[in-house]
Amino acid sequence: MLIRLLAAFGLLTLSACDKPVPLLEHKCGSCHSTQQIYHQRRTPEGWRQVIHGMKQRGLKLTAEDERQVLRILEENYGL
């Protein structure tokens, strides 16, 4: 009940993914806490910029992994 109340007033953001996403845990969680991801909302372009920045810092993604990561982020953590 408290969680719903907080969400209703915009004090808590609930996502469609309420449990860890294995691909994000594996690819993103190796350098930082995935909680940073799960508590953010961005536009599709914003997520593309984040992925680009992470790749500049050494993130290794195949083209397919990148498509999947972006799809997950856009669908579940988008604005």
Side-chain angles (χ1 to χ4, degrees), residues 1-26:
M1 179 69 174
L2 177 60
I3 290 174
R4 286 186 184 151
L5 185 61
L6 290 172
F9 285 100
L11 301 172
L12 176 70
T13 306
L14 301 177
S15 81
C17 284
D18 57 353
K19 43 186 157 171
V21 180
L23 183 60
L24 297 182
E25 294 292 323
H26 175 69

Side-chain angles (χ1 to χ4, degrees), residues 9-72:
F9 285 100
L11 301 172
L12 176 70
T13 306
L14 301 177
S15 81
C17 284
D18 57 353
K19 43 186 157 171
V21 180
L23 183 60
L24 297 182
E25 294 292 323
H26 175 69
K27 294 295 183 179
C28 307
S30 62
C31 293
H32 58 77
S33 168
T34 52
Q35 292 305 308
Q36 293 177 261
I37 299 165
Y38 300 143
H39 294 289
Q40 291 188 44
R41 299 294 177 266
R42 295 179 184 271
T43 62
E45 180 57 30
W47 284 122
R48 282 187 210 81
Q49 290 175 356
V50 168
I51 295 298
H52 176 75
M54 295 299 111
K55 287 170 63 177
Q56 295 294 314
R57 292 174 179 85
L59 174 63
K60 302 292 185 213
L61 290 174
T62 65
E64 179 59 26
D65 282 346
E66 186 168 349
R67 278 191 292 279
Q68 287 181 18
V69 166
L70 284 170
R71 182 186 54 77
I72 291 165

